[in-house]
Amino acid sequence: RDWRLPTVEEAMSLIEPTKMNVGLSIDPKFDKQQQCIWTSDLSSASSAWVVDFGSGYSTSPVFSTAMCVLFAEDNHGLFGSLNHLIICP
């Protein structure tokens, strides 16, 4: 299997207009522990973009910040039909 981190654009596309999952703006099919997830997009040599499903925004903390990782596996090349695996600290 080819698991990968989503891009910031892909992760932002998961944000729902209203909070649906224990105060998070993400579909309930995703784990409620994942308020923030890392993306594959770097913002500098020491940080990457993170999507916050609590606030609905993206930010770029340093790599030493503990956050969840959502691994994605493409099905037919469409992000809308991803298999996913969540790992949280």
Side-chain angles (χ1 to χ4, degrees):
R1 292 189 152 185
D2 292 328
W3 294 99
R4 64 178 177 80
L5 292 176
T7 65
V8 71
E9 181 180 2
E10 289 171 330
M12 289 295 291
S13 76
L14 297 174
I15 293 178
E16 297 288 340
T18 57
K19 294 189 178 193
M20 304 175 65
N21 187 11
V22 191
L24 301 179
S25 299
I26 192 168
D27 192 290
K29 71 181 173 187
F30 291 96
D31 192 316
K32 63 185 176 211
Q33 293 181 20
Q34 65 174 16
Q35 178 169 337
C36 298
I37 61 165
W38 288 105
T39 72
S40 61
D41 294 320
L42 299 177
S43 59
S44 74
S46 62
S47 64
W49 287 101
V50 166
V51 171
D52 183 332
F53 297 113
S55 69
Y57 293 101
S58 61
T59 186
S60 58
V62 294
F63 289 131
S64 60
T65 306
M67 288 189 208
C68 294
V69 177
L70 180 150
F71 290 103
E73 179 188 41
D74 284 317
N75 285 336
H76 312 295
L78 300 174
F79 189 74
S81 59
L82 284 179
N83 290 327
H84 64 280
L85 169 68
I86 304 295
I87 299 176
C88 293

